[in-house]
Amino acid sequence: MIDKTSLPLVAVDEMNAIHFEEVDLLNTLTALMEKKADDEQIGQKLYELMEHMQVHFSHEEKLMQSHRYPMYRLHKGEHDKVLNEIRYVELEWRSRRDRDDLQNYLKENIPMWLDQHIKAMDSVLADFLRQNGFGS
């Protein structure tokens, strides 16, 4: 589980709110895994997390484009990488239902990526957006 109070914050509240939503979904999914919920519930929540990430990234990418963010390609590349990864994980879940693999991804990969992405990418983007009149 990710403690929301330990999540890095950025200069745009809207971005923080979206990160908190994602953490809530991730924590709910992790709790379902720990409770040994049925495969369908886990699959539904995993799909919901994946969809949320897609919407989140698409929204961020539109902001970057509309504000002519100079690091757009690099940032979008990170989004594309993690989306491809979670799509693969979701497909693997549907075909194999391997709880250990999914749990490892949820407890290790996503939290580490999220923390690093917020610190290295989203904080810079948020500062840029604020300096260009967004979210003030």
Side-chain angles (χ1 to χ4, degrees):
M1 297 261 191
I2 298 175
D3 177 7
K4 286 197 281 193
T5 62
S6 69
L7 200 65
L9 297 177
V10 299
V12 175
D13 290 338
E14 177 183 321
M15 292 174 71
N16 291 321
I18 292 170
H19 293 152
F20 288 152
E21 290 172 3
E22 227 151 69
V23 166
D24 287 340
L25 286 168
L26 182 61
N27 286 343
T28 299
L29 183 53
T30 301
L32 287 172
M33 294 289 296
E34 289 170 357
K35 291 179 191 174
K36 311 259 190 257
D38 71 48
D39 291 351
E40 291 306 312
Q41 282 181 297
I42 291 169
Q44 274 185 307
K45 194 54 71 174
L46 177 59
Y47 190 79
E48 191 178 328
L49 174 63
M50 182 179 68
E51 281 191 323
H52 188 279
M53 291 172 75
Q54 289 172 332
V55 170
H56 164 194
F57 295 164
S58 176
H59 174 69
E60 225 172 71
E61 289 161 11
K62 287 175 185 165
L63 281 174
M64 287 189 273
Q65 288 176 316
S66 68
H67 287 84
R68 291 181 166 72
Y69 184 56
M71 293 175 50
Y72 170 77
R73 283 191 209 169
L74 177 66
H75 200 133
K76 182 175 182 352
E78 283 292 310
H79 288 170
D80 292 346
K81 180 181 146 213
V82 81
L83 280 177
N84 286 333
E85 192 176 90
I86 196 166
R87 286 180 188 128
Y88 176 79
V89 166
E90 196 269 338
L91 283 171
E92 281 291 298
W93 172 256
R94 281 194 281 149
S95 65
R96 295 183 39 237
R97 313 263 187 197
D98 187 321
R99 288 176 180 257
D100 291 336
D101 280 354
L102 180 56
Q103 196 151 16
N104 182 56
Y105 179 73
L106 297 174
K107 287 188 171 186
E108 300 297 326
N109 295 51
I110 290 219
M112 183 172 55
W113 179 85
L114 183 61
D115 183 70
Q116 291 173 350
H117 184 77
I118 292 171
K119 288 176 181 174
M121 297 276 178
D122 285 350
S123 63
V124 177
L125 171 60
D127 290 344
F128 176 85
L129 291 172
R130 285 294 291 246
Q131 291 168 3
N132 287 278
F134 181 82
S136 38

